[in-house]
């Protein structure tokens, strides 16, 4: 499951969130804008194998990293 780490631009709070597709994530504390941090496990390790033989990007063009028949 795609659990991402985020950090808030406003109050610097860090949190993890389960994200599906193009869900918009905002800070749970202040509602400000957040940036995804790619430091975590799931996405990186899963994408590693695909990157070498794939298009060079993680996932395929129609993929939102959750359930894609082409790359998962
Ligand atoms: Zn915040």
């Amino acid at each position: 499951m795609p659990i991402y780490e985020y950090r808030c631009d406003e109050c610097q709070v860090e949190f993890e969130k389960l994200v599906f597709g193009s869900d918009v994530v905002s800070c749970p504390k202040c509602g400000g804008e957040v940036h995804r941090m790619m430091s975590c496990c799931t996405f990186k390790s899963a994408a590693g194998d695909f990157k070498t033989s794939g298009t060079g990007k993680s996932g395929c063009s129609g993929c939102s990293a959750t359930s894609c028949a082409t790359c998962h």
Side-chain angles (χ1 to χ4, degrees), residues 22-56:
S22 54
D23 275 1
V24 176
V25 181
S26 56
C27 176
K29 198 172 170 186
C30 73
E33 279 191 41
V34 296
H35 280 129
R36 185 190 294 174
M37 301 193 295
M38 298 301 284
S39 56
C40 192
C41 43
T42 320
F43 192 87
K44 212 167 197 175
S45 58
D49 294 336
F50 296 113
K51 270 181 181 170
T52 50
S53 59
T55 60

Side-chain angles (χ1 to χ4, degrees), residues 8-13 27-34:
C8 177
D9 288 346
E10 301 296 327
C11 61
Q12 307 301 312
V13 70
C27 176
K29 198 172 170 186
C30 73
E33 279 191 41
V34 296

